[in-house]
Amino acid sequence: MSVRFEEIPTGCGRRFGRATLSSPGTLNALSLDMIDRLVPQLTQWGNDPRIALVVLDAEGDRAFCAGGDLQQLYASMRSTPTDEVPSQAASFFEREYRLDYQIHTYPKPILCWGNGIVMGGGIGLLAGASHRVVTPSTRLAMPEISIGLYPDVGGSWFLRRAPGKIGLFLALTGASFNGTDARFVGLADFVLPHEQHGAVLAAIAAGHWLDEGEQNAARLSHLLREHALCEGEAQSKLRQHYDLIDQTIGHDSLADIAGRLQRLAGHEDPWLAKGAETFMRGSPTSAALSFALWQRVLHLSLADVLRLEYHVSVACARFGDFAEGIRALIIDKDRNPRWKPATLAEVTPIYMQSFIPSPHPLADLA
């Protein structure tokens, strides 16, 4: 079973729901089966007065969720004629974004335990939870520029809300970051040792919970703070290089940013240099989409951003670099994608307009 569900009694007669992603062999990559199991169960728990809160975690120590099931999406794109919308990919994006929105707007506290690898769609699950836990071994990234996509799952929304220009830097470079970084950019609330996972679940089970969401949220925060690391957190690269990142991204055109990122490839810090090199090897279309969405979403609601991202993602699946990026990285593993267009200069405004079609199946999100 791709997701395990439990209802665990607490010390006050109420229960908490626990949803555990259970595909460690795929690093708990988010599949349609997972999504279709999570959505109704979260709905049921949200409406059940006996359930005080929900815990979302994963089996294994390597990853909470390494992103979406790319092989499933690749098969859908390859089996669909180029002039048609890949129906399975479109369905995946619609249902995935509904799940992300459900977590963001959930009526009860959700504790998401983001240990190990948390990438792409995994960050989509983590970002919306009311209580987001990372650990010293957490490694996060939005690496979509390397597969011909862009930071979706609400990434256009939450990266835009990171300090300064860090969000656009992460989108363009696919740079990995740790749990301390995640707290700095607003994607995590607590850093706990992974060894405390069982103790936290036991403390929740021993707790006395009410039928009032805000009070339960505060109690859960107090509980997590008691187990949080008080010292010894890893250094935040994003905080350390904040000024340089802001200067590199700047406030001008994507072509200007590209020139500054290319110069960053020679930086003495390997982390910065690797991010710049990833940008240079990445899909020009992905870079252009990330930049265009960054400019567009500042004053949009989360629902509006998810609607927009659905349009863009379906277009990427239909005629963008997405399938080629998955082929090069996951299927053939030659790491030699043939991007079309091959350079930023060839990504024209007319081509960019083709990534925002209509009508929209998420129009009912309020």
Side-chain angles (χ1 to χ4, degrees):
M1 185 176 294
S2 62
V3 189
R4 296 197 316 270
F5 299 110
E6 301 173 80
E7 292 186 6
I8 301 172
T10 70
C12 60
R14 292 184 174 83
R15 298 171 176 267
F16 72 91
R18 182 184 179 190
T20 303
L21 306 183
S22 301
S23 183
T26 67
L27 300 180
N28 296 307
L30 190 64
S31 65
L32 266 179
D33 182 64
M34 286 181 175
I35 294 168
D36 290 344
R37 290 176 183 273
L38 282 166
V39 168
Q41 186 63 68
L42 289 176
T43 299
Q44 178 186 324
W45 283 339
N47 293 328
D48 188 342
R50 299 170 301 170
I51 299 295
L53 58 95
V54 172
V55 174
L56 176 60
D57 57 13
E59 184 178 339
D61 295 332
R62 294 181 61 198
F64 166 64
C65 176
D69 187 339
L70 296 180
Q71 296 202 26
Q72 192 177 56
L73 289 171
Y74 182 80
S76 170
M77 289 184 280
R78 283 307 188 202
S79 64
T80 303
T82 54
D83 59 341
E84 298 179 15
V85 174
S87 58
Q88 187 174 3
S91 180
F92 179 88
F93 289 126
E94 178 186 352
R95 286 140 80 178
E96 180 184 26
Y97 298 173
R98 286 187 181 278
L99 171 59
D100 294 331
Y101 189 78
Q102 181 181 26
I103 293 173
H104 274 274
T105 58
Y106 204 64
K108 297 178 180 181
I110 296 184
L111 163 59
C112 183
W113 191 276
N115 178 62
I117 298 170
V118 187
M119 292 186 180
I123 295 184
L125 299 177
L126 174 72
S130 62
H131 293 69
R132 301 162 300 178
V133 170
V134 289
T135 74
S137 64
T138 298
R139 293 295 178 268
L140 307 98
M142 297 297 286
E144 287 80 5
I145 193 167
S146 296
I147 57 168
L149 195 59
Y150 66 97
D152 64 328
V153 296
S156 306
W157 185 85
F158 56 72
L159 289 181
R160 194 63 168 90
R161 284 153 177 78
K165 305 298 174 58
I166 283 177
L168 185 52
F169 174 82
L170 292 174
L172 293 175
T173 64
S176 66
F177 53 104
N178 62 27
T180 310
D181 289 315
R183 286 189 63 213
F184 178 59
V185 301
L187 286 173
D189 304 299
F190 303 92
V191 179
L192 273 67
H194 186 50
E195 295 77 14
Q196 290 291 314
H197 181 245
V200 167
L201 294 180
I204 293 173
H208 289 264
W209 306 95
L210 308 174
D211 59 0
E212 209 288 317
E214 288 189 9
Q215 293 185 52
N216 285 340
R219 291 188 178 202
L220 181 57
S221 295
H222 294 157
L223 185 156
L224 293 172
R225 191 173 295 114
E226 291 175 359
H227 291 81
L229 285 172
C230 297
E231 56 184 26
E233 286 190 37
Q235 182 184 41
S236 168
K237 289 285 189 180
L238 292 173
R239 185 189 292 270
Q240 176 188 354
H241 294 300
Y242 177 86
D243 290 335
L244 178 57
I245 289 171
D246 253 24
Q247 293 166 10
T248 300
I249 299 301
H251 198 73
D252 40 29
S253 71
L254 180 57
D256 293 322
I257 296 171
R260 292 190 290 268
L261 280 172
Q262 288 171 2
R263 291 191 291 274
L264 202 62
H267 198 277
E268 62 183 10
D269 188 327
W271 179 78
L272 285 171
K274 182 178 180 181
E277 291 165 3
T278 299
F279 167 76
M280 293 162 61
R281 294 193 305 267
S283 163
T285 299
S286 295
L289 286 171
S290 295
F291 183 72
L293 290 168
W294 172 270
Q295 293 178 306
R296 182 164 180 160
V297 306
L298 179 60
H299 300 296
L300 296 184
S301 69
L302 174 61
D304 284 335
V305 169
L306 288 172
R307 278 187 274 267
L308 176 60
E309 287 186 351
Y310 173 85
H311 284 313
V312 177
S313 298
V314 170
C316 286
R318 184 179 179 186
F319 47 72
D321 283 337
F322 192 24
E324 172 61 11
I326 297 175
R327 180 206 65 76
L329 190 68
I330 304 296
I331 306 301
D332 296 337
K333 299 181 180 179
D334 59 23
R335 296 186 176 272
N336 186 33
R338 295 179 287 274
W339 304 127
K340 295 180 182 179
T343 67
L344 276 175
E346 297 173 85
V347 182
T348 65
I350 293 177
Y351 179 66
M352 289 295 292
Q353 290 175 8
S354 62
F355 284 83
I356 308 180
S358 58
H360 204 291
L362 296 179
D364 60 311
L365 294 185

